Amino acid sequence: MDIVSALRTFLRVAETRSFSAAAADLGLTQPAVSRQVSSLEAHLNLRLLHRTTSAIALTAEGERTIPMALKVIEAVEALGEGNSSEGPTVSGKVRLSLPAPLGLYMSERINALLSGHPGLSVELIFREEASDMVEEGIDLEVRLGQVNDNSLICRRIGWTTAYLVAAPSYLETRRAPETLSEIGSHDCICYSRAGDKKTWSFSNGADEERLQISPRLIANNSVAVHRAALAGSGVAVLSHILVGPDIQCGRLVQLMPDFPPTRLPINVVYLSRRNMPLRVRTVLDFLAEAVRDDPLMASLDDAEQIPQ
């Protein structure tokens, strides 16, 4: 039995909770995937998965095996990268979780990375809130704002830029706010990032003020908030990635430009810097470079390592 291949297969089944999905991802048949996992269980003398006709779940032993399996695979990949006669080869799949605006930004640029590395594949997961990276098999995750999880390695790659905006159709019936205190009387559209639905923060570079609002509409995806703002449903705080073109062509109006929304650090978090697979390191470096290429996200300390 090829134990490394079996470990890879087990991790993919654990991630997808499906033999058929794992088989499709790995280019194998479903019976082959089932045999590999069964052989691994026999080799380890452990039951790793509970199987029923309708579901798959990890056993307690399976849960404990995941971090050890990841270490084995990372070590094997690192060994292969160091000993390849033709130089390191980037291959395999990387799961990257990131907020929707940055996900859209990356989806327009990711072809440059994939074209240069035919053996690499990337799964973009649009998510506004933090993931359980071990449980969900996430390799890299972008988080906005302060990261308080000391178990993760955190790399700051840039800063957000957002605008307070509204559609001309909305402003036809409502006077645009001229002070922060006036924003609360407007129809506010919010997206629920990390559970915060009722606070907006603004800064003019010297002063920062947090504003309590009573949103008329809440969505857990910023793209939905963007669509609602375009339709004239109210005022919203949205990334420049989403609304920059709309402001330029007049579909949205930037409000209170002298007191814009507070910029937040853009952080990439991952489980360990030791034995990071080349495929993950390559995607991380590409992501950091792509953010630096945008002047509204770049910063002087975009490569700063944040102590945990």
Side-chain angles (χ1 to χ4, degrees):
M1 178 186 64
D2 183 343
I3 192 166
V4 175
S5 294
L7 287 171
R8 291 184 195 276
T9 300
F10 161 66
L11 288 173
R12 197 66 189 137
V13 172
E15 178 185 328
T16 61
R17 296 294 197 272
S18 167
F19 283 107
S20 59
D25 288 344
L26 296 169
L28 301 171
T29 64
Q30 183 174 337
V33 168
S34 181
R35 284 195 300 271
Q36 282 198 26
V37 174
S38 296
S39 297
L40 180 63
E41 290 178 318
H43 178 78
L44 299 176
N45 196 27
L46 294 173
R47 186 171 183 83
L48 302 175
L49 298 169
H50 292 302
R51 304 163 174 83
T52 69
T53 56
S54 59
I56 293 174
L58 285 164
T59 64
E61 292 77 13
E63 292 278 6
R64 291 196 295 268
T65 300
I66 286 177
M68 293 183 284
L70 287 169
K71 288 181 180 179
V72 169
I73 291 171
E74 288 175 0
V76 170
E77 289 180 347
L79 182 64
E81 292 161 11
N83 291 309
S84 173
S85 60
E86 299 179 357
T89 299
V90 180
S91 63
K93 184 175 183 177
V94 175
R95 303 190 80 216
L96 170 60
S97 170
L98 66 182
L102 193 56
L104 295 173
Y105 178 83
M106 289 300 298
S107 66
E108 295 175 343
R109 291 159 177 80
I110 200 74
N111 184 57
L113 175 67
L114 299 178
S115 296
H117 303 288
L120 177 68
S121 63
V122 177
E123 181 179 355
L124 298 179
I125 302 166
F126 286 24
R127 183 167 294 167
E128 310 293 343
E129 300 181 354
S131 307
D132 183 331
M133 298 182 66
V134 174
E135 175 70 20
E136 299 182 52
I138 304 294
D139 296 297
L140 300 168
E141 181 161 85
V142 175
R143 297 185 184 177
L144 306 182
Q146 184 177 357
V147 177
N148 297 316
D149 190 339
N150 293 329
S151 68
L152 300 174
I153 306 300
C154 182
R155 177 179 173 183
R156 180 181 297 166
I157 61 172
W159 294 83
T160 63
T161 293
Y163 302 125
L164 180 68
V165 297
S169 59
Y170 174 81
L171 297 174
E172 287 176 359
T173 59
R174 303 287 296 272
R175 185 172 67 88
E178 297 179 355
T179 65
L180 292 180
S181 61
E182 295 178 2
I183 294 175
S185 64
H186 279 265
D187 295 340
C188 297
I189 316 168
C190 302
Y191 78 93
S192 53
R193 185 179 62 83
D196 185 4
K197 308 178 184 70
K198 299 182 179 180
T199 304
W200 283 346
S201 178
F202 298 85
S203 173
N204 62 3
D207 300 314
E208 182 171 327
E209 185 168 341
R210 295 178 67 83
L211 181 68
Q212 292 293 121
I213 59 171
S214 299
R216 293 289 310 281
L217 176 63
I218 300 171
N220 65 354
N221 184 282
S222 54
V223 176
V225 174
H226 177 220
R227 297 290 291 270
L230 286 170
S233 297
V235 299
V237 172
L238 286 165
S239 167
H240 76 286
I241 296 171
L242 292 176
V243 302
D246 299 311
I247 293 172
Q248 290 180 0
C249 71
R251 288 191 297 264
L252 290 173
V253 177
Q254 182 184 359
L255 307 174
M256 299 184 56
D258 294 333
F259 218 113
T262 301
R263 300 186 77 192
L264 301 174
I266 303 172
N267 299 312
V268 184
V269 298
Y270 43 98
L271 296 174
S272 174
R273 63 165 56 94
R274 293 186 59 192
N275 297 326
M276 177 182 280
L278 181 59
R279 57 186 169 80
V280 178
R281 188 164 64 248
T282 299
V283 173
L284 173 58
D285 290 343
F286 181 83
L287 174 62
E289 183 179 354
V291 168
R292 285 196 298 266
D293 285 343
D294 186 323
L296 294 178
M297 289 191 286
S299 63
L300 294 178
D301 60 345
D302 57 10
E304 177 186 350
Q305 297 287 335
I306 304 174
Q308 294 294 313

